[in-house]
Amino acid sequence: MNDKKFYITTPIYYPSGKLHIGHAYCTVATDAMARYKRLCGYDVMFLTGTDEHGQKIEDKAREAGVTPQEFVDNIVAAPGGVLDLWKLMNISYDRFIRTTDAYHVESIQKIFKAMYDNGDIYKGSYKGKYCKPCESFWTESQLVDGKCPDCGREVMDAEEEAYFFRASKYAGRVRDLLLNTDFLEPKSRVHEMVNNFIDCEGGLQDLCVSRTSFTWGVPVDFDPGHVVYVWLDALFNYMTALGYQNSQYHDVEKFWPADAHFVGKEIVRFHAIYWPAFLMSMNLPLPKKLYGHGWLNFNGDKMSKSKGNVVDPHLLSERYGVDALRFFLLRSFPFGSDGNFTNELLIQTINNDLANDLGNLVSRTTAMAEKYFAGKLPQDKQSAELDDELISLAAGLRSRYEEQMEKFQFQNALEEIFKVIQRANKYIDENAPWALAKDMDANGPRLAAVLYNLLESVRICTVLLTPFMPESCGRIFAQIGADESARTWDSAEKWGVLPAVVSVTKGENLFPRIDMAKELSELDAIMEETKKAALPQLEVEPFLTEQVDFDTFCKSDFRAVKVKACENVRKSDKLLKFTLDDGTGTDRQILSGIAKWYKPEELVGKTLVAIVNLPPRKMMGRESQGMLISAVHMEKGEECLHLLMVDDAIPAGAKLC
Ligand code: ME8
């Protein structure tokens, strides 16, 4: 039995839209690590998946006019979806979890109940701020300039009965884990976590772990109306996918604790603080390593759908090949820091490293073996002192590479490989095989040795490049005559593994050079199109030509009003009933047909504008004393409505004129 085991995970992705290059970055890194460990002889479990619950998905599904399940199915499993993308990118995951899978739901319900029974989950009332896009709760003091500290967007007031997890109870142990062990890397992230969330004013706060304002989540089975907070649901995927608290799988004993969780920097907080605390509450062993990688920006700017600057991995794979893209992602950016993706850098990396250095080395070596020896090297070889440096550099490569890979420093590991590749190219120039070939009788054995040394260097580099570019490496092995035994981890540490009379076949060009100027202009044109498509297609209503005299206009009494309460009108899917403070001291009731665009709880506390001298009117049996003012426009054939909201500093009753 193999006792070398390795369990590695990616975050599970929100299927709220198409995945982009940032998502592919983490998955490719995890894939390279999983393949590297398999190469080293480990029994690997590589888990990825999708995180399918939460208000954001519920809202998006409503907008799209489908059920939440249909919505996520469409993004995860439909052609061109998440599963297809991972197939395209050659992601060798062993298991794919969807948090809507029945076995996961069952586990989460049991886990929630167990934490409730052990006293770590209790019922209270939640009052604070909520960032809908991030599905995160914040206290007032955690906000940055009143906005979500993660994404910088507006937060909303939230108050509801909710369950809480006693995170505060585990603050000391989590702090110790972060400060006194190597659990979280890079180290630079440790102090940020401890200072901002544990050693902050008020200490680590208990975490709200249930919601009642929407339904798309794992139901709390002992308290109908509550659904489990999406992060508790999502984090436990790392264990439920092994069969924890379900009978779908039976791998907990074998693979838990995880050897490495790879996650992006903005979700380190959940993984470094709450995830260990949840596990402590359940008396479970903690993962061995959490690595918070940096973000990929595009041309120095955060990628975002609305800016139309989201880089599409489908497009790039199609144009340059999956391996080139995988390689670029891990070669160009240090894994722990942010990276700036530019099209120039992508093309430059492909041209310099893959076309010039690696591609040339392989094609020159195999072409010369074919040309001078008809593809089969002779037994007789003559070594020279000139060989020593290349041989010792290549033979020592595996240990230098391993040192970097064990630290998840993909860029440095690749750098070590490329030092050997560059040295081998220089060795060709030093030995000038074309000059040796002029007198084959005298120089044949020397030329054979030169080519053999080049093939061995290529072989060792290719073994170690396999986790990054599996498909291309298979093709290189075939060209240089490396059989299975010459492709192994053990063989990468040995010199002279290829048979002396190795047979070589020159194949097609592995990495064609790209015409930078032409390619950049084509990519720019595609980007422009994407940007245009991302812009809302506005249809502005024609302006009225009939004029209104000033006195008539002045008869309309517009006032600032504050929303004291707001609720859906029973049996109507259009109407919201507002109770408003209009500054007179008596509540004003207005009904408005805007339920399609707003949830009542979003509006409480807002300052709106109403016309208050319209004659009262009955709607669904209730009186409406005026009308709220909205901006309305058409977008992609759909009517869009925005209530006019004004500065909260404007007092109720203020007249608009
Ligand atoms: O956070 N560069 O899902 P998600 C690098 N469901 N990485 C990026 C990136 C970029 N530009 N944009 C996103 C979630 N990512 C949760 C995870 S795990 C229990 C639940 C990374 O789809 C991001 O940092 O929003 C995160 O690690 C991952 O993509 C998934 O993001």
Side-chain angles (χ1 to χ4, degrees), residues 10-14 19-20 22-23 25-26 51 56 231 234-235 237-238 262-267 271 293-297 303:
T10 70
I12 49 171
Y13 298 90
Y14 281 125
L19 298 194
H20 58 64
H23 303 114
Y25 178 51
C26 183
D51 175 8
K56 189 159 66 176
W231 271 103
L235 285 162
N237 92 88
Y238 302 130
F262 280 0
V263 304
K265 62 177 185 180
E266 89 291 9
I267 58 172
H271 287 81
H293 66 77
W295 270 49
L296 289 191
N297 296 321
M303 273 186 244

Side-chain angles (χ1 to χ4, degrees), residues 3-301:
D3 58 358
K4 283 165 72 178
K5 309 215 168 53
F6 192 76
Y7 178 29
I8 186 162
T9 67
T10 70
I12 49 171
Y13 298 90
Y14 281 125
S16 60
K18 265 191 137 183
L19 298 194
H20 58 64
I21 200 79
H23 303 114
Y25 178 51
C26 183
T27 311
V28 166
T30 315
D31 186 61
M33 188 42 61
R35 287 178 186 269
Y36 157 73
K37 284 289 176 180
R38 288 189 201 111
L39 182 66
C40 297
Y42 281 77
D43 185 353
V44 171
M45 169 65 78
F46 166 11
L47 172 72
T48 187
T50 41
D51 175 8
E52 304 188 355
H53 290 127
Q55 187 165 9
K56 189 159 66 176
I57 302 277
E58 188 176 285
D59 289 351
K60 290 237 166 191
R62 190 181 310 110
E63 272 168 40
V66 294
T67 65
Q69 189 66 56
E70 284 166 344
F71 181 83
V72 291
D73 285 351
N74 199 26
I75 293 182
V76 178
V82 179
L83 290 169
D84 267 5
L85 177 63
W86 296 155
K87 195 164 163 203
L88 170 74
M89 299 218 56
N90 213 349
I91 303 300
S92 63
Y93 59 82
D94 298 289
R95 200 157 285 170
F96 191 97
I97 185 170
R98 299 181 58 178
T99 55
T100 49
D101 289 337
Y103 74 88
H104 172 80
V105 171
E106 174 196 332
S107 298
I108 295 301
Q109 289 183 323
K110 288 187 194 160
I111 292 164
F112 196 92
K113 180 73 168 49
M115 286 178 168
Y116 180 73
D117 288 342
N118 76 18
D120 278 350
I121 284 181
Y122 63 91
K123 203 168 193 175
S125 150
Y126 177 80
K127 202 167 175 203
K129 302 287 176 187
Y130 186 65
C131 174
K132 199 149 95 172
C134 295
E135 316 250 12
S136 292
F137 294 100
W138 301 101
T139 57
E140 200 73 56
S141 64
Q142 287 172 323
L143 302 180
V144 176
D145 297 332
K147 305 231 165 85
C148 170
D150 272 354
C151 72
R153 277 180 275 215
E154 292 290 340
V155 289
M156 57 199 230
D157 289 319
E159 178 166 14
E160 60 188 46
E161 180 192 83
Y163 286 94
F164 284 83
F165 170 70
R166 258 181 236 289
S168 52
K169 176 173 158 190
Y170 297 99
R173 280 175 69 192
V174 173
R175 188 175 187 280
D176 184 50
L177 173 76
L178 295 177
L179 288 177
N180 302 324
T181 73
D182 291 328
F183 168 68
L184 173 59
E185 283 187 6
K187 284 275 172 227
S188 55
R189 307 220 184 268
V190 169
H191 286 286
E192 182 196 333
M193 286 299 121
V194 173
N195 296 345
N196 293 356
F197 302 107
I198 301 181
D199 290 350
C200 55
E201 207 186 311
L204 180 60
Q205 303 288 308
D206 288 355
L207 179 72
C208 180
V209 287
S210 81
R211 302 298 318 271
T212 51
S213 55
F214 62 91
T215 56
W216 184 239
V218 175
V220 175
D221 51 358
F222 57 88
D223 196 346
H226 286 261
V227 292
V228 176
Y229 176 46
V230 70
W231 271 103
L232 191 150
D233 166 6
L235 285 162
F236 268 102
N237 92 88
Y238 302 130
M239 287 207 70
T240 63
L242 297 179
Y244 181 64
Q245 304 276 4
N246 65 66
S247 52
Q248 178 85 5
Y249 298 110
H250 304 278
D251 299 310
V252 176
E253 221 167 282
K254 181 167 170 192
F255 283 112
W256 193 256
D259 294 275
H261 293 312
F262 280 0
V263 304
K265 62 177 185 180
E266 89 291 9
I267 58 172
V268 164
R269 177 171 76 101
F270 294 100
H271 287 81
I273 294 179
Y274 300 114
W275 180 222
F278 290 154
L279 291 167
M280 287 170 189
S281 167
M282 294 295 285
N283 265 324
L284 289 163
L286 305 181
K288 293 179 198 156
K289 184 75 73 193
L290 170 66
Y291 196 92
H293 66 77
W295 270 49
L296 289 191
N297 296 321
F298 184 75
N299 289 344
D301 215 0

Side-chain angles (χ1 to χ4, degrees), residues 508-561:
E508 95 251 47
N509 193 353
L510 287 163
F511 305 104
R513 248 192 98 75
I514 300 167
D515 178 337
M516 171 80 91
K518 178 169 165 278
E519 205 56 31
L520 284 182
S521 82
E522 286 186 25
L523 287 176
D524 284 349
I526 295 172
M527 201 67 161
E528 271 314 302
E529 281 304 305
T530 321
K531 264 193 197 148
K532 270 195 217 145
L535 288 176
Q537 294 162 16
L538 287 186
E539 293 165 39
V540 178
E541 274 213 31
F543 291 0
L544 297 180
T545 46
E546 193 188 339
Q547 302 205 324
V548 57
D549 67 73
F550 190 70
D551 289 343
T552 312
F553 167 72
C554 287
K555 284 186 192 152
S556 306
D557 194 358
F558 292 101
R559 302 285 174 147
V561 289

